[in-house]
Amino acid sequence: MADPAKTELPVSNIQHVFERLRAGKPVIVTDSSERENEGDFIVAAEAITPEIVQFLLRHGSGELCVSLPDEVAERLQLNPIVGPEENTAPNQTQFLIPIDHKDSGSGVSAECRAITIRALSDENAQASDFVRPGHIHPLLAKQGGILRRAGHTEATGDLLHMAGLKPVGVLIEILSQEGYGMADAEELQAISKKFDIPIISTAEVIRHRYISEKLVHREVEVPINTKNYGTVQVIGYSVEHESQQPVALVWGDLSSVEAPLVRMHSSCFTGDLLDSLRCDCGDQLHMAMTAIYQEQTGAVVYLPQEGRGIGLIPKLKAYVLQDQGYDTVEANIQLGFKADSRDFTVGVQILKDLGLSKVRLLTNNPKKTDSDVYTGFDLEVVEQVPIVAPPHKDREFYLQTKRDKMGHILPTTPAD
């Protein structure tokens, strides 16, 4: 099969995608190569027919699911299969209890599945209309949609909502018909041409949503004189659908330079406040503030996502495991988390709120520079600026793990 990175997928106008969905026809949505790197068929649940179900099963061949917003899941009393702490799926997809409509017979045939799917989109449907377990897998879309989670579940609801349809939609992964994996870019393009189905990426959906809406809102701005970093303008933000309160620290006039120096920093209680030698977080934060202060223009976006997104208490538990011989990646995984659960979407929205379109990013982490979320938000990282903390024996193993297992750009031997 062709290398998907070497095959250009056609770019569809989002208005054409909306027209297709309004006509009750499927579209193909692709996600980032850094995520699942797959294409899914998506179609409005309210327009489903047995013929469409048959097409999706035959040419998609993945897991037939239905994306639902909170209000529908609550009305139909659809609970998660597992709780948040037990959800160890790579992308934390929120599978709800599988169901069939009570009038769908065995629930298996294309006709039976169509009955269940149409009922899920019926605003008058009630929990008693369905039997559990069944053959249709509802998925709970994250509040805030694709701006908070760049997955097919959220893309489905967002596209339908923007098209003026009910945000309840069918999605199914497109498996390769030539091999044993997912359909690559060449196969997706062939399907698109054969059946006249437009293709759109999650990055395009993000871009379209960002034109008219955002999740972050400025709540307060205040200048603060500091001991070592001059006067800093501190901007506090609220985030819709979440309790987190990120802040931006701004030096100078960001519009005065084409690409100001920027640091997106995830909170680290032990490193930032205690100068812990277990990690390089505190050093990176203060090195970044020093570099920006010296240039007199730039910003630090401080994101409350402790322990690479797992929270302070789990992070401390991970420290206990590290003392038993696990490295930082193994400890997170042992606790049931991904090696890095952070989400930089809020940080990117803050950078856009600050009026930035080009930045020089202080980071050693390729994840912060390579993600297509920047393309979705029309933000370009024009330079990755290294920020290597001084070597210390207490964190040598930690830095080696970041370099060897997480791809951070760090010296071969931290002590060099």
Side-chain angles (χ1 to χ4, degrees), residues 168-371:
V168 180
V170 183
L171 62 158
I172 186 170
E173 304 94 340
I174 304 174
L175 274 57
S176 173
Q177 302 299 311
E178 302 175 4
Y180 300 104
M182 308 304 295
D184 62 14
E186 184 177 356
E187 284 190 80
L188 293 176
Q189 187 170 358
I191 292 170
S192 172
K193 290 181 178 179
K194 181 177 180 179
F195 299 105
D196 189 26
I197 299 178
I199 298 176
I200 191 167
S201 68
T202 53
E204 288 296 320
V205 182
I206 291 171
R207 179 182 292 113
H208 188 80
R209 280 202 62 184
Y210 192 75
I211 291 172
S212 58
E213 59 184 295
K214 62 180 180 179
L215 292 180
V216 301
H217 303 282
R218 294 193 189 199
E219 297 293 339
V220 63
E221 299 181 43
V222 59
I224 295 180
N225 294 326
T226 68
K227 182 184 296 185
N228 299 317
Y229 309 109
T231 300
V232 183
Q233 188 75 7
V234 179
I235 305 174
Y237 288 86
S238 62
V239 182
E240 289 188 16
H241 314 301
E242 296 192 10
S243 60
Q244 66 163 301
Q245 297 176 324
V247 297
L249 312 178
V250 178
W251 285 260
D253 179 4
L254 296 179
S255 65
S256 65
V257 295
E258 182 181 19
L261 202 57
V262 165
R263 167 74 179 169
M264 275 206 295
H265 188 86
S266 298
S267 59
C268 177
F269 169 80
T270 50
D272 299 344
L273 274 69
L274 301 179
D275 287 331
S276 167
L277 293 173
R278 282 181 175 267
C279 65
D280 58 344
C281 303
D283 280 346
Q284 287 194 61
L285 174 61
H286 293 285
M287 290 169 66
M289 291 194 292
T290 298
I292 294 170
Y293 171 56
Q294 290 174 346
E295 291 202 0
Q296 294 297 299
T297 307
V300 171
V301 176
Y302 196 81
L303 302 169
Q305 41 187 9
E306 189 79 32
R308 294 199 297 276
I310 67 176
L312 179 57
I313 299 303
K315 170 185 168 178
L316 296 177
K317 291 181 179 179
Y319 280 177
V320 173
L321 291 176
Q322 290 171 33
D323 289 342
Q324 296 171 5
Y326 292 90
D327 65 34
T328 181
V329 169
E330 294 166 344
N332 276 24
I333 293 174
Q334 186 73 13
L335 291 172
F337 300 102
K338 293 194 296 184
D340 192 342
S341 301
R342 290 176 295 177
D343 180 353
F344 296 106
T345 307
V346 166
V348 174
Q349 287 202 23
I350 290 174
L351 292 178
K352 291 303 298 181
D353 182 73
L354 295 174
L356 301 178
S357 58
K358 294 182 180 181
V359 299
R360 293 154 53 224
L361 198 63
L362 283 156
T363 185
N364 305 317
N365 184 359
K367 181 178 180 179
K368 293 184 181 180
T369 58
D370 293 342
S371 175

Side-chain angles (χ1 to χ4, degrees), residues 56-57 59-65 113 171-175 182:
L56 298 177
L57 293 172
H59 299 284
S61 304
E63 194 74 44
L64 190 70
C65 300
R113 297 191 203 201
L171 62 158
I172 186 170
E173 304 94 340
I174 304 174
L175 274 57
M182 308 304 295

